[in-house]
Amino acid sequence: MKVTRVVAGAAVAAAVLVSLNATGAPAAPAGKVAAVPGSVPGAAALTAQQSAADSKTLRELAKRTGMKIGTAVDMGALANDATYKQHVASEFNSVTAENVMKWSELEPTRGTLNFGPADELVAFAKANGQSVRGHTLLWHNQLPTWLTDGVASGDIDSAELRQLLRQHIFTVAGHFRGKIYQWDVANEVIDDNAQLRNTIWLQKLGPGYIADVFRWAHQADPKAKLYINDYNVEGLNAKADAYYALVKQLKADRVPIHGFGMQGHLGVQYGFDGRALANVQRFEALGLETSFTEVDVRMIMPTDNTKLHAQANGYSILLRACLLAKRCVSFTVWGFTDKYSWVPGVFEGEGAANLLDENFGQKPAYQAVSQTLALAG
Ligand code: XIL
């Protein structure tokens, strides 16, 4: 099905997409800003796509590609900022809860489930003809304090922890059953040294917890595509290799895992690995679909034109990989305006990671995404 998305367009467009993909440069040496000349895509052949892109929203352009274009949604901004809300509805056909489906948000008090905000997002998506990505059933961050404190004090032993996790997955995936097209079942379970991450899950439940969470999620919502999801796995590197080996093993063990999610939190100052397509293709060869799930491209502040164009290139490398792959189902950005971004709060001195600036003005990255979608459709 993905083949038609490129073949159906002009052969020229396909050739441009392929050649653009080949320009992805390997990571720049540490500390060196990636040198990216010109805007992306910048070829003269793109003039027709340029005007198509100018008059259409991202979701309109993505429609013919067969790939969903999504954003993480900040529920506070959705409630209080009409411009933000209007953009979520018009630009995207997939939404992810930035926070409200995480365990700490759903069950701040043990035994009391607060599905209100997440249900609001699902209703918003339905009203606007959007699909919903679920994020996330298992993570080591944003866990309720009653849970982490209980484990730390020994009040919750390993057997009880396993039962709590099982119950959590059945309750949450069951609550949204039939309404979520992709679930991030396991998030960030491998660390930056390419080892299984040393979390309470690994410590208390052992490595088998990963297979368990997929089996439970599949029972709770048999139609949802179940994803394993992480950052720094967008190219060919040791961490992505570790995921490849893990997924291969899970498949061999007949664990119901269907998707590999690459978060796509990039930084201009690190350069970009141009081998994203090769990485996507090796996971698809294991029988998985793929998605980019949390794309943003941060930079050291202040912004300048070179950084903004390098940023556009980062977005383009990932988007082209998705468009050129056979089973890359969705491309989600982790917010779309610099007005509401997690980056400045977490990465000191960095920011401006999104497609639109703080006033919802289009940055070169937006133009690049828009034009690349116009080419592919
Ligand atoms: C982030 C949210 O954007 C923030 O609002 C929150 O304070 C912390 O989490 N990887 C993930 C996401 O899988 O859930 C994280 O989201 C960003 C990194």
Side-chain angles (χ1 to χ4, degrees):
M1 54 128 185
K2 271 303 200 48
V3 179
T4 57
R5 94 164 42 126
V6 173
V7 173
V12 174
V16 173
L17 267 174
V18 171
S19 70
L20 285 171
N21 184 68
T23 64
K32 190 168 182 295
V33 173
V36 180
S39 62
V40 177
L46 306 189
T47 318
Q49 281 75 26
Q50 168 89 55
S51 52
D54 283 350
S55 57
K56 291 193 171 124
T57 67
L58 301 183
R59 74 181 281 180
E60 286 168 344
L61 292 167
K63 198 170 176 193
R64 283 185 302 155
T65 71
M67 179 203 79
K68 289 191 192 298
I69 183 92
T71 183
V73 177
D74 173 333
M75 294 308 288
L78 194 73
N80 299 316
D81 185 332
T83 308
Y84 177 92
K85 184 175 178 179
Q86 188 264 319
H87 277 80
V88 175
S90 63
E91 294 282 356
F92 303 99
N93 57 16
S94 173
V95 292
T96 307
E98 183 170 358
N99 286 301
V100 298
M101 288 189 191
K102 293 171 181 173
W103 197 339
S104 57
E105 302 284 313
L106 289 174
E107 197 179 359
T109 305
R110 185 171 178 170
T112 307
L113 275 297
N114 174 26
F115 282 115
D119 286 344
E120 263 175 51
L121 180 62
V122 172
F124 177 88
K126 191 171 182 203
N128 290 288
Q130 297 166 316
S131 304
V132 183
R133 291 197 86 253
H135 176 80
T136 171
L137 293 174
L138 173 124
W139 197 21
H140 58 281
N141 283 333
Q142 290 178 279
L143 291 168
T145 47
W146 60 260
L147 182 82
T148 49
D149 288 353
V151 171
S153 70
D155 286 349
I156 297 174
D157 67 12
S158 296
E160 188 178 4
L161 183 65
R162 187 166 191 276
Q163 182 52 30
L164 283 165
L165 178 59
R166 184 180 186 280
Q167 187 61 49
H168 174 71
I169 289 175
F170 273 94
T171 302
V172 176
H175 177 85
F176 296 109
R177 183 184 174 110
K179 296 177 178 160
I180 303 280
Y181 75 116
Q182 304 173 347
W183 258 117
D184 289 332
V185 174
N187 195 36
E188 302 181 353
V189 298
I190 291 181
D191 67 20
D192 296 341
N193 297 317
Q195 305 299 314
L196 284 183
R197 188 181 287 277
N198 188 15
T199 63
I200 57 167
W201 307 119
L202 184 66
Q203 288 163 14
K204 306 292 177 189
L205 310 184
Y209 82 85
I210 298 174
D212 287 340
V213 292
F214 280 93
R215 292 193 174 109
W216 295 331
H218 188 56
Q219 284 177 52
D221 188 352
K223 292 208 177 119
K225 298 295 186 195
L226 304 184
Y227 274 67
I228 198 160
N229 190 55
D230 213 322
Y231 62 88
N232 283 354
V233 291
E234 297 79 20
L236 301 177
N237 57 46
K239 188 171 177 183
D241 292 349
Y243 268 100
Y244 184 82
L246 174 60
V247 168
K248 198 171 178 186
Q249 187 60 51
L250 292 169
K251 293 287 287 182
D253 295 342
R254 301 189 162 278
V255 173
I257 178 169
H258 314 116
F260 183 56
M262 295 151 285
Q263 294 181 0
H265 293 295
L266 306 183
V268 162
Q269 66 273 25
Y270 305 118
F272 311 116
D273 187 336
R275 299 166 298 181
L277 176 59
N279 189 51
V280 167
Q281 285 171 334
R282 67 174 169 160
F283 281 91
E284 292 187 356
L286 286 178
L288 264 62
E289 60 174 57
T290 55
S291 286
F292 289 92
T293 57
E294 306 183 12
V295 181
D296 56 15
V297 184
R298 60 188 187 268
M299 61 188 70
I300 295 168
M301 299 300 276
T303 68
D304 63 30
N305 271 332
T306 306
K307 293 179 199 172
L308 289 171
H309 284 279
Q311 174 180 60
N313 191 42
Y315 275 96
S316 296
I317 286 171
L318 301 187
L319 179 59
R320 289 195 301 260
C322 197
L323 290 167
L324 289 164
K326 286 206 169 64
R327 295 183 65 196
C328 186
V329 175
S330 64
F331 182 93
T332 291
V333 292
W334 205 242
F336 56 90
T337 164
D338 295 336
K339 190 172 178 183
Y340 306 103
S341 170
W342 73 301
V343 168
V346 174
F347 302 95
E348 211 189 319
E350 298 182 47
N354 302 110
L355 298 174
L356 303 180
D357 66 23
E358 292 183 356
N359 301 310
F360 299 93
Q362 295 179 2
K363 294 156 69 180
Y366 181 93
Q367 305 289 349
V369 166
S370 170
Q371 289 166 25
T372 302
L373 289 173
L375 265 175

